[in-house]
Amino acid sequence: MPNGTFHMQSFYTRFLQSVERFPQHIALELQPAAPGEAITSISYSDTRTMVESVGWWLRDSGVQPGARCAILAANSPRWVISYLGILSHGCVAVPLDTAFDPEQICKLLLDSGSSVIFTDAKAVGSVTRAIAGLNIIPVILDSNHDFIPDSIHDFIHDGSAHVPQSFDQILARDGTGLTSHAGTPDDLAVILYTSGTTSDPKGVMLTHGNLNAEAQAVFALLRFDQTDAILGVLPLFHALAQMANLLFPLSVGARVVYLEQLNTSELLRGLRKRRITLFCCVPQFFYLIHQRIFDQVAKRGAPARIAFRAMLGLSIAARRLGINLGKTFFRRAHQALGKEMRFLVTGGSRFDVKIGKDLEALGFDVLQAYGLTETTGGATCVPPGERFTGSVGRPLPGMEVQISAPDENGSGEVLIRGGIVMKGYYNRPDATEQVLKDGWLHTGDLGHLDGRGNLFLTGRQKDVIVLSSGKNVYPEEIEAHYLKSPFLKEICVLGLQSAPGEPFSERLHAVIVPNLDMLREKKIVNTREVIRFDVETLSAQLPSTKRILSYDIWQDDLPRTTTRKLKRFEIDKLVKQQRSPADSGISSAREISAEDMSWLQLPDVARAVEVVRRAAKDSHTISPADNLELDLGLDSMQRVELVVALEQELDASADEALVSSAYTVRELVEAVRAGIGSRISKVRAGWQEVFSSETSDPDVLALIKPKPFSTAFWFCVDMTVRTLSRLLFRLRVEGMEKLPAKGPFLICPNHQSFFDGPVLVSQLPLRLFRQVFYVGTSEIFGSGFMRTLARSMKLIPVDPDANLVPALRAGSFGLKNRMVLILYPEGERSIDGVPKTFRRGAAILAVHHNIPIYPVAIDGFFDSWPRGFGFKGFHRARIRVGDPIFPPHPPAASPEAAYQQIIASVEARVSEMWTGIHAQLHPQAQ
């Protein structure tokens, strides 16, 4: 009977059956935080002895069968022994969330009527305050009692009726011969309080019959026996964790491993060293594994990346035939999770379909489950051997799922019926009546069933955003789409009513937490620009009703429940508070530590911080930890100007590598301070100082070296592109004769598509083609063959997201050598084809070199290859060159005024020309 298909009165009896069959098998293990320390291993026989000691102690302490006994502690063998000891005496276990504060603990202890609480050293302080004055017996699970005297002192002075009991002393009792009072299938076994996304947790009553029904359903679906080993990292106060990491394994003689310290490295060590065969965890962990694998591949050379993609594709094809090549192709990834791993099980929140399919292609078997605390954990599961589709599977054997009031797409509320459905909410008959109707549990989740009975979830009923048009929007679906951006760590989508005078009566609003680790790794400092670019690109792929129209950027993690569900109500409240006029006076300044205060008082630092304060858009107290962009509002150009101002103030010459990697005020000031004394003499201020410095970049210096072969080759390529563009795009070019025969000057077009650059350059005569150079992204042209290719075509690879100085200095070098720079002032492709705001880079170069800018309008290429989409086919296109725009004469009142004046003129001229050619291409739109 390895799968426990026998019938019995209580789940505790299942455990006793395992003890009889496998007395010397290891039941529980604890992996110590220090790798050199010995593993704590407890056999089934010894576990039973300890459990019965707890049962004897409860009886001798006057705790009657049916009494509620709480547990508030981290996962450990002693947590499990306490739980089983409670069941052995016929009591009701009440596991509590370790994140609760003393007030919440007190509230739930009173609500459940608990008379005992088992706790550990980490939680004893909160428990002490929670039970002050209550008739509740505290039991300390830890062996180390160094902290207990102070706790006793606290208990006595707070008027507690009981002092802490030592778990070691309880285990020292002889529990042999305890008569189990485990009760009948209808008797209450556990009360689990829902974590919830609001402040109203409800006690879910689960009976011994519920636990048995869940076990029988899972064992009918999944092979699970004494040869398995489970790593229990999900907190045991959740239903899924109790079933997967406690009750299932202990009913079949399997081994359960807990971690003394929970972090990623300890978790991976446990998976590898403890021969784990099944692992159940929330999606975020599997996302981390996926990210690590794909990040490592991305850092390798092009051949390795191509080979990886080829093996991935072959593995996907083999999977369709029932063959798993992934374990062979990606052996190192499997070794990281342990060679004995059979199944990865996930549940608790939405699982990204792409990541699930990637893990499947890598050779992992991922089982996605769905359920609630009210269904004793799992209610549906993807059967072993089936491909990952994003479904949460079919109902477990013996269970039923149906969709209530489905809409035209078959989506509606998910209803569940079967032996796993709870008895009700403890002391909450009103709440019970709302969700239990005619034997069906109304889950509040929305989903639909396919033809095979697979359940697909779309969101929570209470989270659905209903627009004024009547359109239902499911925020989880939208969040999953935007999280395709690697620069978004978290996102929460809300329905936000607009303030008077705002352009939208209502809109989808998002709170975004950037992936700062990823941004630092890629040395990207203009966080807002990168996020805006990705949000716009991803928005274009959605229907208009599903696009977020506004967003806030937060640096702290979004509030979540212990099951990692977003606390939408709390996030919505915070967003509204931040936008409320009544809260406008709330200070957002960070707390400044004594160490930071000492740093701020240093003379050099004080002068530098004053420069920073003047440059910041929002005048408030400057904190060393303030992010230059997210807190102070400095864009890339302003950041460069700030660095120049700091160098002048401190008479320093900062290392560009240090400056480009600075994200906070302290990091930037320290980068500049490190250059104090390295300046030979003060030179001209501002951008003129930047442009006057010499460059040693070999890619920049290569611009002026003769390249007759490369020039001839690329000109032949361009002549081919010219001919094809005239045929395929039916391209017409106007005003090319306006361009002078020689440089230096700038050509500034709007940017619609990847086609813009090659087609525009192909229209230039040979005399200009020889003089043209470009500045491109190092992400594409930064290494290997692509870098060699870039040098041959006079393209300088820089990373404008990290530091604008090299880009503008490279442009300056070429212009000083009488070359022609093609520069896109928008800095990115347009999201809808319409010219967007032009940035000042071209104007700065024009002003400081006193050269003209030739505006160019481009249209038609967006229709062929829009941003965020693939190739759409060839469409008619137009290019129009405008009259030159010179720096203002006489000079403007300040350099900043000159920059603004010239870039505004270029933007207006390009927009005017674009409107004209757009009307020619799209007369029906006029």
Side-chain angles (χ1 to χ4, degrees):
M1 297 179 289
N3 283 336
T5 55
F6 40 83
H7 295 277
M8 46 186 62
Q9 285 188 327
S10 73
F11 204 99
Y12 180 69
T13 315
R14 289 181 179 272
F15 165 70
L16 295 180
Q17 185 72 24
S18 292
V19 175
E20 294 297 326
R21 297 176 60 214
F22 312 108
Q24 299 310 312
H25 278 207
I26 299 301
L28 306 171
E29 285 189 337
L30 180 66
Q31 175 177 288
E37 293 184 10
I39 298 288
T40 300
S41 299
I42 308 174
S43 69
Y44 271 86
S45 177
D46 289 342
T47 300
R48 176 180 182 174
T49 299
M50 296 179 183
V51 166
E52 291 182 344
S53 294
V54 174
W56 272 107
W57 175 81
L58 289 172
R59 191 200 67 172
D60 291 348
S61 298
V63 179
Q64 298 299 314
R68 271 75 66 202
C69 301
I71 310 175
L72 193 149
N75 289 9
S76 71
R78 292 190 171 207
W79 197 108
V80 178
I81 291 165
S82 301
Y83 181 93
L84 292 174
I86 292 167
L87 296 185
S88 74
H89 188 52
C91 295
V92 180
V94 186
L96 298 178
D97 191 333
T98 53
F100 286 153
D101 59 35
E103 184 179 350
Q104 292 171 311
I105 297 168
C106 180
K107 177 181 177 180
L108 298 185
L109 290 175
L110 291 173
D111 182 76
S112 63
S114 295
S115 54
V116 175
I117 182 168
F118 295 84
T119 189
D120 60 13
K122 291 181 180 179
V124 71
S126 295
V127 169
T128 299
R129 293 189 291 275
I131 67 174
L134 302 180
N135 189 24
I136 297 177
I137 306 173
V139 180
I140 310 300
L141 296 178
D142 302 75
S143 294
N144 185 351
H145 306 305
D146 292 342
F147 58 88
I148 288 184
D150 289 338
S151 298
I152 292 175
H153 181 79
D154 291 339
F155 274 105
I156 293 172
H157 282 272
D158 286 336
S160 175
H162 298 281
V163 295
Q165 301 295 304
S166 166
F167 200 70
D168 286 342
Q169 293 177 0
I170 292 174
L171 297 183
R173 292 168 171 260
D174 181 8
T176 305
L178 175 72
T179 301
S180 173
H181 295 279
T184 68
D186 292 330
D187 285 341
L188 196 57
V190 188
I191 297 177
L192 291 176
Y193 281 90
T194 59
S195 58
T197 55
T198 67
S199 58
D200 182 31
K202 297 181 287 289
V204 175
M205 295 187 291
L206 300 178
T207 66
H208 290 283
N210 292 143
L211 304 185
N212 271 318
E214 177 78 1
Q216 290 174 348
V218 170
F219 290 147
L221 177 73
L222 182 66
R223 181 180 68 81
F224 201 7
D225 58 31
Q226 72 277 8
T227 64
D228 282 304
I230 292 84
L231 182 63
V233 297
L234 291 178
L236 287 169
F237 50 77
H238 290 304
L240 177 63
Q242 276 183 47
M243 300 308 293
N245 300 334
L246 193 164
L247 300 175
F248 292 163
L250 295 186
S251 70
V252 296
R255 175 169 53 94
V256 190
V257 181
Y258 300 104
L259 304 178
E260 186 175 62
Q261 187 177 71
L262 181 56
N263 54 49
T264 303
S265 59
E266 282 297 289
L267 195 156
L268 291 173
R269 183 165 73 95
L271 289 171
R272 290 193 306 270
K273 299 294 186 181
R274 305 317 305 154
R275 307 185 310 281
I276 302 302
T277 61
L278 290 100
F279 179 53
C280 180
C281 200
V282 293
Q284 278 72 17
F285 172 76
F286 300 117
Y287 295 171
L288 176 62
I289 294 298
H290 177 275
Q291 181 180 330
R292 285 192 173 190
I293 293 172
F294 280 78
D295 281 353
Q296 289 175 2
V297 172
K299 293 176 182 177
R300 303 176 69 181
R305 294 196 299 268
I306 293 171
F308 176 81
R309 290 294 176 185
M311 290 191 295
L312 207 61
L314 185 58
S315 180
I316 292 172
R319 277 289 210 175
R320 293 170 182 165
L321 302 175
I323 303 171
N324 188 352
L325 296 178
K327 289 189 174 183
T328 302
F329 287 167
F330 311 107
R331 186 177 293 109
R332 289 181 63 186
H334 286 267
Q335 289 174 342
L337 297 188
K339 295 182 291 185
E340 291 84 1
M341 185 67 67
R342 293 200 295 122
F343 295 113
L344 302 176
V345 184
T346 183
S349 59
R350 186 187 186 99
F351 198 93
D352 186 272
V353 177
K354 181 184 182 303
I355 292 180
K357 290 183 175 180
D358 283 346
L359 291 174
E360 185 177 69
L362 290 168
F364 295 106
D365 292 309
V366 182
L367 304 183
Q368 188 168 8
Y370 160 71
L372 301 88
T373 306
E374 291 86 344
T375 60
T376 324
T380 70
C381 186
V382 176
E386 293 205 2
R387 296 184 58 209
F388 195 96
T389 62
S391 163
V392 292
R394 296 190 284 275
L396 293 174
M399 309 304 151
E400 298 176 77
V401 172
Q402 72 174 23
I403 304 299
S404 173
D407 60 18
E408 65 276 9
N409 298 317
S411 182
E413 185 179 10
V414 178
L415 308 185
I416 299 174
R417 183 166 67 179
I420 60 175
V421 174
M422 68 172 181
K423 186 174 184 178
Y425 293 120
Y426 188 70
N427 285 336
R428 296 288 297 273
D430 53 337
T432 302
E433 289 178 4
Q434 291 177 9
V435 298
L436 286 179
K437 302 173 184 178
D438 300 324
W440 289 93
L441 174 70
H442 290 242
T443 65
D445 289 320
L446 299 172
H448 65 272
L449 296 167
D450 67 8
R452 300 179 58 204
N454 292 303
L455 177 62
F456 292 81
L457 298 177
T458 54
R460 288 285 294 169
Q461 193 172 47
K462 66 180 180 181
D463 295 334
V464 172
I465 301 169
V466 183
L467 303 176
S468 58
S469 62
K471 182 74 174 179
N472 287 347
V473 176
Y474 304 103
E476 287 188 351
E477 173 190 345
I478 298 171
E479 289 158 1
H481 177 74
Y482 283 101
L483 283 173
K484 291 177 182 178
S485 167
F487 303 114
L488 270 63
K489 178 183 178 183
E490 295 182 285
I491 182 172
C492 176
V493 174
L494 308 165
L496 191 67
Q497 292 295 319
S498 297
E502 289 185 335
F504 308 102
S505 60
E506 62 182 349
R507 64 183 182 275
L508 293 184
H509 180 82
V511 176
I512 292 172
V513 177
N515 188 339
L516 296 177
D517 290 338
M518 175 70 72
L519 292 165
R520 279 184 177 271
E521 179 183 335
K522 293 187 175 293
K523 299 181 179 179
I524 295 172
V525 294
N526 54 334
T527 303
R528 290 187 185 276
E529 287 298 308
V530 169
I531 289 178
R532 181 189 58 78
F533 182 88
D534 278 11
V535 166
E536 286 183 350
T537 301
L538 291 165
S539 292
Q541 301 167 5
L542 291 173
S544 59
T545 55
K546 295 184 177 181
R547 297 174 185 171
I548 60 173
L549 299 179
S550 60
Y551 58 86
D552 296 326
I553 297 178
W554 293 0
Q555 296 185 63
D556 296 325
D557 289 346
L558 298 179
R560 292 178 180 269
T561 68
T562 49
T563 54
R564 302 297 298 161
K565 293 177 182 176
L566 290 170
K567 293 184 176 180
R568 298 181 186 275
F569 176 80
E570 184 175 330
I571 296 170
D572 183 71
K573 182 179 178 181
L574 290 171
V575 168
K576 290 175 179 176
Q577 283 180 349
Q578 290 178 358
R579 293 172 175 270
S580 170
D583 294 317
S584 60
I586 297 176
S587 173
S588 59
R590 300 172 184 272
E591 291 187 7
I592 300 178
S593 67
E595 178 187 355
D596 284 344
M597 187 61 70
S598 298
W599 179 77
L600 288 169
Q601 291 171 354
L602 295 173
D604 287 343
V605 172
R607 289 162 52 205
V609 169
E610 177 58 25
V611 173
V612 174
R613 190 192 63 76
R614 291 197 300 266
K617 289 184 177 180
D618 299 322
S619 58
H620 65 271
T621 302
I622 301 295
S623 166
D626 281 344
N627 185 289
L628 297 169
E629 183 184 17
L630 300 181
D631 290 317
L632 304 187
L634 301 176
D635 62 23
S636 299
M637 203 72 70
Q638 292 164 333
R639 176 191 173 100
V640 174
E641 293 165 350
L642 172 60
V643 171
V644 174
L646 286 171
E647 288 180 324
Q648 292 177 325
E649 177 66 32
L650 300 183
D651 195 21
S653 180
D655 185 307
E656 287 184 5
L658 290 176
V659 168
S660 64
S661 62
Y663 289 80
T664 66
V665 170
R666 183 167 193 153
E667 290 171 349
L668 181 62
V669 171
E670 287 299 320
V672 176
R673 289 182 73 208
I676 292 177
S678 61
R679 291 167 66 102
I680 299 174
S681 63
K682 281 202 170 187
V683 294
R684 293 181 301 275
W687 285 105
Q688 194 64 30
E689 179 175 355
V690 173
F691 297 148
S692 66
S693 59
E694 298 295 329
T695 180
S696 59
D697 188 332
D699 292 308
V700 177
L701 295 174
L703 285 176
I704 58 176
K705 293 181 180 179
K707 300 182 181 68
F709 176 79
S710 296
T711 301
F713 170 78
W714 285 114
F715 188 72
C716 291
V717 171
D718 277 0
M719 291 304 97
T720 304
V721 173
R722 174 187 289 194
T723 302
L724 291 175
S725 63
R726 301 281 175 132
L727 293 173
L728 299 175
F729 292 105
R730 290 168 283 170
L731 178 68
R732 286 176 52 187
V733 181
E734 305 171 14
M736 194 63 69
E737 71 281 356
K738 297 179 180 181
L739 297 176
K742 296 181 179 180
F745 60 87
L746 290 99
I747 298 175
C748 290
N750 61 303
H751 200 5
Q752 287 195 331
S753 167
F754 287 127
F755 285 128
D756 298 350
V759 174
L760 174 60
V761 175
S762 73
Q763 309 307 308
L764 298 176
L766 179 60
R767 58 183 168 77
L768 282 181
F769 178 82
R770 290 174 176 155
Q771 304 174 56
V772 167
F773 74 105
Y774 330 86
V775 176
T777 173
S778 59
E779 188 173 356
I780 298 175
F781 299 102
S783 61
F785 171 75
M786 294 303 291
R787 194 177 191 96
T788 303
L789 187 70
R791 184 175 292 190
S792 74
M793 58 193 296
K794 292 184 289 188
L795 184 148
I796 304 169
V798 298
D799 190 352
D801 290 327
N803 190 355
L804 280 177
V805 170
L808 290 176
R809 185 177 288 146
S812 173
F813 179 84
L815 293 171
K816 283 190 289 188
N817 284 277
R818 308 194 65 78
M819 300 182 72
V820 178
L821 173 60
I822 296 181
L823 184 65
Y824 293 98
E826 291 165 290
E828 61 188 37
R829 288 164 290 140
S830 172
I831 193 64
D832 56 6
V834 180
K836 300 301 180 186
T837 302
F838 282 17
R839 302 176 186 177
R840 297 186 301 164
I844 291 171
L845 289 169
V847 168
H848 285 279
H849 294 84
N850 195 28
I851 57 174
I853 295 176
Y854 283 81
V856 177
I858 294 175
D859 195 40
F861 297 120
F862 177 82
D863 299 324
S864 298
W865 196 352
R867 180 174 132 195
F869 295 90
F871 179 62
K872 298 287 187 180
F874 294 104
H875 293 262
R876 290 189 305 155
R878 297 285 184 272
I879 296 177
R880 180 176 292 176
V881 180
D883 293 325
I885 297 174
F886 292 88
H889 186 78
S894 67
E896 288 72 21
Y899 306 153
Q900 188 57 41
Q901 181 178 336
I902 190 171
I903 202 63
S905 299
V906 174
E907 181 179 340
R909 188 76 56 84
V910 171
S911 296
E912 179 185 359
M913 292 190 297
W914 179 87
T915 301
I917 60 178
H918 186 73
Q920 296 174 7
L921 293 175
H922 305 278
Q924 69 281 2
Q926 304 306 308

